[in-house]
Amino acid sequence: MAKSGVFPTNNTYGMLVDVYGKAGLVQESLLWIKHMKHRGLFPDEVTMNSVIKVLKDAGEFDRADRFYRQWCFGHVDLDDLKFDSAVDFDDVSSSAPISLKYFLSTELFKTGGRVPTPGVEVASDEMATVGRKPQLTSTYNTLIDLYGKSGRLKDAADTFAEMLKSGVAMDTITFNTMIFTCGTLGHLSEAESLLKKMEERRIPPDTTTYNIFISLHAEAGNVDAAINCYRKIREVSLSPDSVTYRTLLLMLCERHMVGEMENIIEEMEKSSRSVDQHSMPGIIRMYIDEGLHDRAKIFLEKCQANGSLSAKTRAAIMNVYAEKGLWAEAEAIFQGKRDGARLKKDVLEYNVMVKAYGKAKLYDKALSLFRTMRNHGTWPDECTYNSVVQMLSGGDLVEKARSLLAEMKGAGFKPQCSTFSSVIACYVRLRQLSDAVNTYQEMLEAGVKPNVVVYGALIDGFAESGNVEEALRYFSVMEETGVSPNQIVLTSLLKVYSKLGCFDGAKQIYERTKLLEGGPDSVASNSMISLYAEFGMVSEAEMVFNGLKEKGLADEISYGTMMYLYKSMGMLDKAIDVADEMKQSGLLSDCISYNKAMLCYSTNGQLRACGELLHEMIKKKLSPDGWTFSLLFTILKKGGVASEAVKELESSYLDAKPYAAQSIIASVFSMVGLHGLALEYCEGFTKVAKVVLDRFAYNAAIYVYGLSGKIDKALNMFMRMQDDGVEPDIVTHINLVHCYGKAGMVEGLKRVYTQLKYGEIERSESMFKALVDAYRIADRDDLAEMVDQDMRFGFDSQEFSDSDSHSQHTTSDSDIED
């Protein structure tokens, strides 16, 4: 044009602005306006409209509004444009370089004059003082859309009103834009009134109008209204388009409305329309979430029959399966048939398949796929490398991950921060802190800035290993580099100070966690409660604990620590209150929490509550651990079970004898009065055919049957014990004495007493006490008194004999205290 002497007009510049804007070259498109200004031309309304569109689509809402208002008063100011080089537009002979990025055609500088071209619109003096208004419908539509997207509903409404006042014809786009603006800003009723106004002006709604309402109702969760809008499209003789179906299917899939979604697809098929590829992954996801795997498969096969899937769609569907851990299904799609044009798999598909294998912990498969993808003509990209390294790190295959990291850098790719972070975290988990530090240094050398996750891993690693100095050093480095600590980092430091018993340091860190969004989490607060408990600071611990409860963050550790604190301070009633509250809140979820609660009840003498907790724990299929059994032995002792019986059960547990656990649990249930449960457990091992039990098991069974009043069964068990050739011991006789007493079998008691008196049964305090109790139960207080006196005399004599045999023994106050 320049060589031919044809000068550009507003139309020329408008087109240049438009095409450069559509290409995403926002500043370059505006340079044409600057050039236009230097030619002495003023943008007409069409060109102005193009500029506003470019700025609107780029999100430069304020700049677009400013340009429009300036245009109304006859001037345009583009001095805020940023250029690579300072080009003097007033001196075209300047030798200053012109950046191709911002101005691709320099010929316009070299040719043509600056004098306004005849017939071309320029800004007038009158325009500068009075101002002018747009005359085109398209301009008003653009302005309404601009104000709508920038959230300025009042300006959009004013523009709409100005359009009415100016007599500029409205069209369907005008109303669609205004409806969309009102609806998206939460004014659905105003949007609906605009539809009525549209009908009053005899401006017919189009499919887009109804699509907007479908979208608005869907966002508001009003499914019925959205479907009614869809039905309305056909009622007014319009046809749903791809946007209609895409919006509806998305809405129904998100709400897992399988039947309604399938009805829409059926209607589409009747209209010879197929589901677009954008909607397919969402439909597959809904089927998988609902467990309808067969329907998902049938739907996918139907989609593939209707046409080849793009690599992006195929990868998105594979990803649905990958996220659910269904690697075999993802693999079937990956390896499935393709048409001739798509035989080669895209790198995106490989990346998703690697993810699927990684999620299923099939690391060898993932690595094999990565190594062979080049053979099929697809080269790994940065995402592939990052995914594989992170996957291997997550599987603790750190040496392979580190090797691949080096290979990635050798291939010219720069690892992400998250990739380095995964390797460092893996080394920390494996307690290989020197390697973690080396990877951190490698990260810095690669020019990748560590984030809070990296520093958090290092700080936590050194904190857990007890290297407090290094933990604090990395915390200092983190803050020096401008990385703000998050909850995890501060909690790690808090744990460090808590372990060291450094109260002031812990308190300072805890105060910092309060400044974070949401405040301290349960881990930080629990650490602080634990520290307060260590120092016996009850009120301070209570304050933190109550704060956790108010936020709903109190967990089993919080309750357990408070129980420990109250118990250690002798505040048993409060400890029990916390245990009750913990039980009611459903936080008894593991062995540790049950053990803590049982310890609390046991200390307070509430032994039946301990038995009930034990039953509840077993009912939840939580196997009692070593601490649990230690507590059960304490409970048996507190319940008055003979010390010999407890020792026998304890020995059986330590020796891991068959039926030891069942015998102990049955004994506890029986002692606390839960006889039904005790019998159930007892019969679990006594009814095992052709099995000779250990003595402790027979004794436990005799104890359980006797205490529950089933004397015949207890005596039968004793007879079975003898038949099996198992010799009775002191525990057996103690349990038999209980049975004789309950049954009123005085002769049996006399026989045992005689055996005891003549040394046929080992003399023990437990045996004497059992006889005394049994005689009293049998209403023979006289015999009970006799045995009691015999016991007192016998044991007093033994004590005298024992004390006489110890030479030079003194009983000072300090001995008594010890």
Side-chain angles (χ1 to χ4, degrees):
M1 283 175 71
K3 286 179 180 178
S4 302
V6 180
F7 288 94
T9 64
N10 249 300
N11 195 24
T12 312
Y13 283 111
M15 287 187 180
L16 286 166
V17 169
D18 185 55
V19 296
Y20 270 72
K22 285 176 179 173
L25 304 169
V26 178
Q27 290 198 11
E28 288 87 336
S29 71
L30 298 180
L31 271 167
W32 288 109
I33 299 299
K34 195 164 184 90
H35 183 264
M36 181 182 189
K37 181 181 176 183
H38 281 274
R39 275 197 173 276
L41 295 177
F42 186 79
D44 64 5
E45 188 173 337
V46 174
T47 306
M48 176 271 290
N49 190 19
S50 297
V51 172
I52 294 175
K53 279 183 181 177
V54 169
L55 291 170
K56 170 177 67 73
D57 294 341
E60 295 278 355
F61 302 128
D62 291 339
R63 204 169 175 188
D65 181 49
R66 189 164 62 249
F67 182 87
Y68 164 66
R69 295 186 188 283
Q70 289 174 351
W71 177 86
C72 288
F73 287 94
H75 66 94
V76 289
D77 179 14
L78 295 172
D79 292 337
D80 58 348
L81 276 176
K82 297 176 182 177
F83 305 107
D84 283 351
S85 58
V87 179
D88 184 0
F89 283 90
D90 294 320
D91 183 8
V92 293
S93 64
S94 169
S95 60
I98 298 172
S99 170
L100 285 176
K101 179 181 178 183
Y102 295 121
F103 211 82
L104 305 179
S105 176
T106 59
E107 288 301 314
L108 289 171
F109 284 109
K110 297 176 182 176
T111 59
R114 301 264 178 86
V115 182
T117 307
V120 177
E121 181 182 358
V122 294
S124 66
D125 293 336
E126 184 182 355
M127 188 193 307
T129 55
V130 178
R132 65 171 178 178
K133 299 294 181 184
Q135 300 298 315
L136 301 176
T137 302
S138 59
T139 305
Y140 279 103
N141 292 346
T142 302
L143 289 169
I144 292 169
D145 192 37
L146 165 68
Y147 295 131
K149 285 179 177 171
S150 60
R152 295 161 61 176
L153 181 59
K154 184 179 184 306
D155 287 332
D158 289 345
T159 304
F160 185 74
E162 180 63 32
M163 193 176 183
L164 286 167
K165 184 180 175 182
S166 302
V168 177
M170 295 181 172
D171 60 10
T172 305
I173 296 172
T174 310
F175 278 97
N176 286 349
T177 308
M178 199 61 203
I179 288 168
F180 179 78
T181 298
C182 288
T184 52
L185 294 176
H187 300 277
L188 191 54
S189 58
E190 285 84 344
E192 288 172 341
S193 69
L194 282 167
L195 181 61
K196 292 177 182 176
K197 193 171 287 187
M198 193 176 182
E199 291 167 351
E200 289 169 6
R201 288 182 162 266
R202 300 191 178 183
I203 298 172
D206 59 6
T207 301
T208 302
T209 312
Y210 292 104
N211 286 347
I212 292 168
F213 276 107
I214 291 171
S215 178
L216 294 174
H217 287 307
E219 286 178 14
N222 194 338
V223 177
D224 292 338
I227 291 176
N228 286 337
C229 286
Y230 163 66
R231 303 288 179 214
K232 186 77 173 174
I233 292 175
R234 293 194 186 280
E235 289 175 13
V236 295
S237 302
L238 293 171
S239 298
D241 59 14
S242 58
V243 176
T244 313
Y245 289 118
R246 190 183 304 155
T247 308
L248 275 174
L249 291 174
L250 175 64
M251 173 188 72
L252 296 172
C253 287
E254 284 178 345
R255 289 161 179 78
H256 290 198
M257 300 175 72
V258 179
E260 292 82 350
M261 184 274 297
E262 289 179 339
N263 289 339
I264 295 295
I265 292 178
E266 190 178 333
E267 290 179 21
M268 290 176 69
E269 289 170 348
K270 287 178 182 177
S271 303
S272 302
R273 299 187 69 99
S274 56
V275 176
D276 73 357
Q277 295 198 22
H278 185 273
S279 301
M280 290 177 189
I283 294 170
I284 296 286
R285 185 183 299 279
M286 180 199 64
Y287 278 133
I288 299 303
D289 287 344
E290 291 295 303
L292 303 171
H293 292 238
D294 290 340
R295 288 203 211 178
K297 187 178 179 182
I298 292 167
F299 172 75
L300 180 58
E301 288 170 354
K302 189 183 289 186
C303 291
Q304 289 173 319
N306 291 336
S308 178
L309 302 182
S310 69
K312 187 176 179 181
T313 303
R314 190 182 294 272
I317 294 171
M318 287 168 57
N319 190 56
V320 172
Y321 286 108
E323 287 179 352
K324 297 294 180 181
L326 302 169
W327 65 270
E329 288 81 351
E331 186 182 65
I333 298 169
F334 180 71
Q335 296 175 345
K337 292 181 180 179
R338 301 156 189 256
D339 63 22
R342 299 186 187 275
L343 287 176
K344 180 181 170 183
K345 298 178 179 72
D346 190 83
V347 67
L348 186 60
E349 296 173 77
Y350 276 99
N351 292 344
V352 175
M353 199 62 237
V354 165
K355 174 185 175 179
Y357 286 141
K359 204 167 179 65
K361 302 189 187 310
L362 300 171
Y363 305 122
D364 290 339
K365 269 183 171 286
L367 208 52
S368 173
L369 181 68
F370 171 74
R371 293 299 181 198
T372 58
M373 63 187 291
R374 293 179 182 86
N375 300 338
H376 299 285
T378 305
W379 287 79
D381 61 6
E382 188 176 316
C383 179
T384 318
Y385 276 106
N386 281 317
S387 296
V388 177
V389 172
Q390 291 177 35
M391 175 202 70
L392 293 172
S393 299
D396 288 344
L397 301 170
V398 71
E399 294 308 320
K400 289 182 179 179
R402 188 70 178 273
S403 173
L404 202 61
L405 189 64
E407 182 184 319
M408 179 182 183
K409 291 193 291 182
F413 294 114
K414 186 177 180 179
Q416 295 175 347
C417 179
S418 56
T419 302
F420 278 112
S421 174
S422 67
V423 177
I424 291 169
C426 184
Y427 276 130
V428 168
R429 281 196 306 274
L430 298 173
R431 300 290 186 266
Q432 300 177 27
L433 295 179
S434 60
D435 291 313
V437 171
N438 291 338
T439 307
Y440 167 75
Q441 293 298 337
E442 186 181 327
M443 182 181 189
L444 296 178
E445 290 166 10
V448 179
K449 185 181 177 183
N451 61 8
V452 69
V453 178
V454 174
Y455 286 113
L458 290 168
I459 292 166
D460 192 55
F462 284 113
E464 290 295 326
S465 68
N467 193 337
V468 180
E469 288 183 6
E470 280 297 286
L472 294 175
R473 187 176 76 80
Y474 277 103
F475 180 68
S476 178
V477 170
M478 182 185 75
E479 293 202 301
E480 285 171 8
T481 54
V483 178
S484 299
N486 61 8
Q487 187 76 254
I488 296 169
V489 172
L490 292 177
T491 301
S492 295
L493 282 177
L494 187 55
K495 286 192 289 185
V496 171
Y497 285 124
S498 295
K499 283 180 181 178
L500 292 173
C502 182
F503 179 78
D504 291 336
K507 187 78 166 62
Q508 187 179 4
I509 293 296
Y510 186 68
E511 290 302 317
R512 287 189 66 172
T513 65
K514 291 181 179 179
L515 302 176
L516 296 174
E517 187 179 350
D521 62 6
S522 59
V523 179
S525 297
N526 287 342
S527 296
M528 208 62 211
I529 292 172
S530 180
L531 195 61
Y532 283 134
E534 242 179 87
F535 285 91
M537 301 170 72
V538 176
S539 60
E540 289 84 352
E542 284 177 337
M543 191 178 298
V544 177
F545 179 59
N546 291 333
L548 277 176
K549 288 198 292 183
E550 285 171 13
K551 292 180 184 176
L553 295 176
D555 57 16
E556 58 272 18
I557 297 172
S558 318
Y559 280 94
T561 310
M562 288 305 296
M563 281 192 286
Y564 162 78
L565 171 60
Y566 286 135
K567 178 178 168 291
S568 62
M569 298 297 289
M571 303 166 71
L572 292 180
D573 289 343
K574 283 208 166 189
I576 291 295
D577 289 343
V578 173
D580 288 339
E581 194 178 325
M582 185 180 183
K583 187 178 177 182
Q584 289 165 9
S585 62
L587 285 172
L588 293 173
S589 57
D590 58 15
C591 244
I592 295 173
S593 55
Y594 273 101
N595 290 343
K596 286 180 179 177
M598 278 196 279
L599 176 61
C600 203
Y601 286 120
S602 168
T603 304
N604 203 39
Q606 297 184 26
L607 303 185
R608 186 180 176 90
C610 292
E612 289 168 351
L613 282 176
L614 177 63
H615 172 56
E616 188 181 302
M617 177 180 172
I618 295 168
K619 198 174 178 182
K620 288 183 179 178
K621 300 189 186 319
L622 295 172
S623 300
D625 59 10
W627 186 19
T628 313
F629 281 104
S630 179
L631 279 168
L632 296 183
F633 298 136
T634 302
I635 290 166
L636 287 170
K637 288 174 188 174
K638 283 183 176 246
V641 176
S643 59
E644 293 89 344
V646 177
K647 282 178 186 176
E648 188 175 74
L649 288 171
E650 194 169 359
S651 176
S652 72
Y653 174 74
L654 293 173
D655 293 340
K657 296 255 182 105
Y659 308 115
Q662 292 94 319
S663 299
I664 296 163
I665 292 170
S667 299
V668 170
F669 282 148
S670 187
M671 185 271 295
V672 301
L674 299 172
H675 298 299
L677 294 172
L679 291 169
E680 186 182 326
Y681 258 81
C682 185
E683 290 177 357
F685 61 86
T686 57
K687 290 193 174 181
V688 180
K690 297 180 181 179
V691 172
V692 177
L693 300 173
D694 281 297
R695 183 162 48 207
F696 74 84
Y698 284 115
N699 287 341
I702 294 169
Y703 174 76
V704 169
Y705 285 133
L707 221 56
S708 63
K710 299 187 180 297
I711 307 301
D712 288 344
K713 282 195 172 187
L715 297 177
N716 285 338
M717 188 56 59
F718 175 58
M719 292 172 64
R720 174 180 162 183
M721 179 181 180
Q722 290 179 310
D723 292 342
D724 288 339
V726 179
E727 287 293 324
D729 61 1
I730 184 71
V731 177
T732 316
H733 291 296
I734 289 171
N735 291 339
L736 283 173
V737 163
H738 286 150
C739 293
Y740 295 152
K742 274 200 167 188
M745 299 170 66
V746 176
E747 292 304 317
L749 292 173
K750 286 180 178 179
R751 186 170 61 253
V752 173
Y753 177 59
T754 302
Q755 290 174 317
L756 181 66
K757 202 169 182 181
Y758 289 100
E760 294 176 29
I761 297 175
E762 179 187 347
R763 289 172 70 85
S764 78
E765 189 175 358
S766 300
M767 187 73 248
F768 276 105
K769 284 182 178 178
L771 279 166
V772 171
D773 291 342
Y775 274 129
R776 282 179 178 153
I777 290 170
D779 289 332
R780 292 301 304 268
D781 290 338
D782 55 330
L783 295 176
E785 187 63 30
M786 178 189 71
V787 175
D788 187 46
Q789 286 179 4
D790 190 12
M791 177 181 71
R792 290 174 186 278
F793 175 77
F795 280 96
D796 286 345
S797 299
Q798 186 178 352
E799 284 176 21
F800 178 78
S801 174
D802 289 343
S803 64
D804 196 40
S805 66
H806 287 82
S807 61
Q808 298 178 348
H809 179 75
T810 59
T811 54
S812 66
D813 289 343
S814 62
D815 288 330
I816 294 169
E817 287 173 9
D818 289 342

